[in-house]
Amino acid sequence: MPLFRWLALILVLLLTPACALLTRPSETVTVERQQFLNAYARATVLYAKAAERMAALCRADTLDRQECARMAAIHEQAKALDAEVRAKIAVPESEVDWARVMRLLELALELAI
């Protein structure tokens, strides 16, 4: 019986990549820096369009003051978020936080809704 166990172990080792036995799947996905820059540029454009549309409505007094104040607060959050992401972009060695990009898209949706 021990010979059977050894043969089974050798067979498993030969058929299974060694890294699969010693590591677990990564919880992160690596994305090229250029892909991130492209995605962030798109998010920024979407946000800017929504923000400009809302600002125009507020300037025209189409929206009430409370809604315009909410829009202004969202815009302040977006500016702070943009500064954080641009600081990360300025340092090529830093890892990019995709949650920040998604948050900018969420802010654009908040403006649009």
Side-chain angles (χ1 to χ4, degrees), residues 52-64 68:
E52 181 53 39
R53 186 175 34 240
M54 289 302 153
L57 291 173
C58 287
R59 282 191 304 271
D61 288 330
T62 306
L63 297 175
D64 66 356
C68 288

Side-chain angles (χ1 to χ4, degrees), residues 34-48 86 89 101 104:
Q34 189 59 50
Q35 286 177 326
F36 170 76
L37 294 173
N38 294 346
Y40 187 69
R42 287 185 195 113
T44 303
V45 168
L46 289 173
Y47 175 81
R86 288 184 186 277
I89 289 172
V101 175
L104 186 62

Side-chain angles (χ1 to χ4, degrees), residues 4 14-15 24-25 29 45 58 62 66 80 95 98:
F4 176 72
L14 289 175
L15 296 177
R24 63 183 181 89
V29 175
V45 168
C58 287
T62 306
Q66 191 174 27
E95 289 188 26
W98 278 98

Side-chain angles (χ1 to χ4, degrees), residues 1 3 46 58 71 79 81:
M1 191 70 149
L3 180 61
L46 289 173
C58 287
M71 300 297 166
K79 286 192 323 189
L81 186 61

